[in-house]
Amino acid sequence: MNSNLRYEHLKRITETQKPYRGTTDKYPFADRNHNYKYFYPREVNGEIEYHVGYYHKWESETMTAEEFNAKKSSMAKGERKKWREETIWKKDSSGIERTGNFIKDFKNPKVDLIIRSDNTVEIVTNSFHQGMRMIFSAWNYANGVFQSSVEHGGIVYGRRDSRGDIRIPIFKHMRFNMDTMAIHESSKYIATYKTVDRKLSKEAMSIYQDKLNGAYAFINCMDRKTFNQDREEVIDELTPDNKGSHWWSKNMREEATELADKILFDKPVESVYLLMKAFNVGYYMSSLAHPSDWISSFKKKFAKYIHVKHDTFTKDYLTHLENFKSSPWNIDITIDGKMVERLT
């Protein structure tokens, strides 16, 4: 962690520096000119804790045109300039339209971290973006670094030195010691890891294999141009609401996957086409790719789909006392049996 965020350091700032101008309790934890890096002392249960923020949260206030017109004559000039007519995008995305209301934007402080007298930090932010990870990490990353890791399922905090290579997951309300990385009592978690059981996987895949083999044989008989044309026509016919959409949203892909699952045994070729689109098989595919290339990529994604659908996994468990490791599958983290909110 950034040494500027240690409890004693923040306490010393409140004792030796003045709050930001216009406030009574907002202090800088870094360069004073960086007024978007700040903290507030707060008394909770008789103890002083420090609420740390990075940038601010934007909020808005609205009023009807009648309310605005009734009040604007009594508003100061500066306040009146903050209000504007509210506009929204039209449903067909063809432009904007006025709502008839007036709106004002304003920023408020937000709390991303809570630093307590036992030198623990609690993560309370909703979004752990790159800038925040850099600012809250140790200078020169000597004592540890926050980083985003797909293999770990989200944000992790890690340290690698003579004391070893340590990783812990970061989730909302995670609390740990800033020096030792020891997990606080309130955050002792259990991580569930999945490993594919080959026997279960083979049994699940055998349900579909004959139909898939027939579809693969049919598709491989086509040349590239015919395959692309046939695939697009079938997808447009099965999902007319998505016609013309190059990139499908999550909901569109989920609906297409559900439909493909229903027709797989009656119309395997059409089902494979639909799943290719739902699995984004062609998004990174070269325009010169042959049907066999599409099938090769599809097989890998379909196998993963079957693993999840039929739960062909065995499960291993790690506690907060063990090093948090990576996994090619989703890692479930629970505290007292309840899933935590991972930060990504």
Side-chain angles (χ1 to χ4, degrees):
M1 288 286 294
N2 186 335
S3 60
N4 283 353
L5 296 173
R6 293 174 186 273
Y7 186 88
E8 289 301 322
H9 181 76
L10 298 181
K11 181 180 179 181
R12 189 160 54 251
I13 289 175
T14 64
E15 295 170 345
T16 60
Q17 295 190 34
K18 294 181 179 180
Y20 275 115
R21 181 182 298 176
T23 72
T24 59
D25 57 356
K26 179 183 177 182
Y27 296 88
F29 68 79
D31 189 318
R32 193 173 182 86
N33 291 324
H34 298 174
N35 63 1
Y36 50 88
K37 304 173 185 175
Y38 55 89
F39 71 95
Y40 291 85
R42 293 288 184 263
E43 183 174 345
V44 179
N45 297 326
E47 295 275 343
I48 298 297
E49 56 187 39
Y50 300 115
H51 293 192
V52 178
Y54 180 61
Y55 280 92
H56 301 79
K57 59 181 178 182
W58 283 96
E59 298 179 321
S60 60
E61 179 184 350
T62 60
M63 65 173 71
T64 64
E66 292 78 10
E67 292 173 326
F68 176 75
N69 290 327
K71 295 179 179 179
K72 69 177 182 180
S73 59
S74 60
M75 290 181 182
K77 183 177 180 181
E79 173 66 14
R80 191 164 59 247
K81 284 184 175 181
K82 296 177 182 178
W83 290 87
R84 69 181 190 281
E85 288 188 86
E86 184 181 35
T87 58
I88 59 173
W89 278 99
K90 294 181 180 178
K91 290 184 178 180
D92 61 2
S93 300
S94 61
I96 60 175
E97 59 183 354
R98 292 181 173 85
T99 66
N101 295 329
F102 281 76
I103 187 170
K104 177 181 74 170
D105 298 320
F106 55 93
K107 64 181 182 180
N108 277 327
K110 64 187 182 79
V111 183
D112 296 313
L113 308 177
I114 297 176
I115 312 296
R116 295 185 172 88
S117 58
D118 58 359
N119 212 37
T120 60
V121 55
E122 181 182 352
I123 312 294
V124 294
T125 185
N126 293 316
S127 174
F128 219 118
H129 53 76
Q130 183 179 359
M132 188 181 296
R133 296 197 298 270
M134 182 183 70
I135 295 300
F136 292 158
S137 294
W139 295 127
N140 301 320
Y141 307 140
N143 191 46
V145 58
F146 290 101
Q147 59 186 140
S148 178
S149 171
V150 173
E151 295 177 339
H152 290 85
I155 306 299
V156 293
Y157 184 70
R159 185 186 69 208
R160 181 182 298 166
D161 57 20
S162 59
R163 292 167 287 186
D165 186 354
I166 303 175
R167 294 287 183 278
I168 58 175
I170 297 301
F171 47 84
K172 192 161 186 182
H173 298 299
M174 171 59 150
R175 185 176 173 187
F176 61 95
N177 187 280
M178 296 171 65
D179 294 322
T180 66
M181 293 177 64
I183 307 299
H184 187 265
E185 186 72 28
S186 64
S187 300
K188 292 182 177 179
Y189 62 84
I190 294 178
T192 304
Y193 289 83
K194 301 174 184 177
T195 304
V196 175
D197 185 304
R198 294 195 176 190
K199 182 180 179 181
L200 294 177
S201 176
K202 188 175 181 180
E203 291 173 355
M205 188 61 74
S206 67
I207 300 172
Y208 309 92
Q209 201 61 65
D210 288 344
K211 292 294 182 179
L212 291 175
N213 288 340
Y216 297 156
F218 178 84
I219 292 173
N220 272 322
C221 288
M222 290 186 275
D223 58 42
R224 184 176 66 246
K225 182 178 180 180
T226 304
F227 164 71
N228 287 331
Q229 181 178 346
D230 189 47
R231 189 188 71 256
E232 291 174 4
E233 288 177 354
V234 168
I235 291 174
D236 286 345
E237 181 181 342
L238 292 174
T239 58
D241 292 341
N242 301 342
K243 189 174 182 178
S245 298
H246 175 64
W247 178 259
W248 282 5
S249 67
K250 181 180 179 181
N251 286 339
M252 293 162 71
R253 287 185 277 114
E254 288 176 348
E255 290 173 359
T257 300
E258 185 177 348
L259 175 58
D261 198 46
K262 291 179 179 178
I263 67 174
L264 193 151
F265 292 98
D266 295 324
K267 300 178 179 180
V269 174
E270 289 85 343
S271 178
V272 168
Y273 284 160
L274 205 51
L275 288 173
M276 283 179 171
K277 181 69 174 180
F279 294 164
N280 288 330
V281 170
Y283 190 69
Y284 296 104
M285 194 74 71
S286 166
S287 60
L288 300 178
H290 291 277
S292 58
D293 299 320
W294 282 74
I295 291 173
S296 178
S297 181
F298 171 77
K299 285 180 177 179
K300 298 175 184 177
K301 291 183 178 285
F302 186 78
K304 290 185 177 181
Y305 167 68
I306 294 302
H307 293 327
V308 175
K309 180 182 177 182
H310 291 271
D311 193 17
T312 64
F313 301 103
T314 56
K315 296 179 180 179
D316 297 312
Y317 303 91
L318 290 180
T319 72
H320 67 281
L321 297 173
E322 300 168 275
N323 202 19
F324 188 67
K325 63 181 183 179
S326 62
S327 172
W329 303 98
N330 287 343
I331 305 169
D332 295 332
I333 300 178
T334 58
I335 297 177
D336 296 330
K338 296 180 180 180
M339 291 283 289
V340 303
E341 182 182 345
R342 290 295 304 274
L343 296 175
T344 57

